């Protein structure tokens, strides 16, 4: 997916998600392997409320592929880990 589309896909309707996803896109996404880049693109197709809950450690996605990318994003946010 081209960078411009990723940027707009990472801009969400929630400021909290923008503050997590946009720095991730700039700083971490370029270092990901192709499979994880595809997982991130899959994550962007999810609902904001689901992403918010996953990224703030409220619960985990059921999909194993999404679990992996959510963990990568969580590990790179600088936010405390509730585990």
């Amino acid at each position: 997916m081209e960078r411009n589309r990723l940027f707009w896909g990472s801009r969400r309707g929630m400021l909290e998600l923008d503050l997590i996803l946009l720095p991730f896109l700039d700083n971490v996404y370029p270092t990901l392997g192709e499979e994880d880049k595809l997982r991130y693109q899959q994550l962007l197709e999810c609902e904001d409320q689901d992403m918010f809950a996953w990224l703030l450690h409220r619960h985990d996605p059921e999909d194993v592929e999404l679990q992996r990318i959510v963990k990568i994003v969580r590990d790179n946010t600088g936010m405390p880990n509730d585990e």
Side-chain angles (χ1 to χ4, degrees):
M1 184 179 284
E2 69 180 66
R3 169 85 169 96
N4 194 39
R5 289 186 67 188
L6 283 170
F7 173 80
W8 288 108
S10 297
R11 296 256 343 233
R12 309 306 289 198
M14 298 177 70
L15 176 61
E16 297 86 350
L17 290 177
D18 289 352
L19 294 173
I20 294 170
L21 296 176
L22 293 173
F24 180 85
L25 179 63
D26 287 338
N27 301 317
V28 180
Y29 180 85
T31 70
L32 297 176
E34 287 305 313
E35 289 182 5
D36 286 332
K37 287 180 178 181
L38 291 174
R39 288 181 184 103
Y40 183 75
Q41 293 169 26
Q42 180 184 359
L43 177 66
L44 294 181
E45 295 175 13
C46 296
E47 296 291 326
D48 287 357
Q49 293 299 325
D50 292 332
M51 270 196 279
F52 183 75
W54 299 335
L55 296 174
L56 276 88
H57 300 275
R58 297 210 172 127
H59 58 84
D60 294 320
E62 292 180 17
D63 183 296
V64 176
E65 299 297 316
L66 285 175
Q67 287 176 15
R68 176 174 167 77
I69 194 62
V70 165
K71 180 177 180 351
I72 292 170
V73 174
R74 284 176 178 168
D75 290 348
N76 288 281
T77 63
M79 297 173 57
N81 187 344
D82 289 347
E83 296 173 24

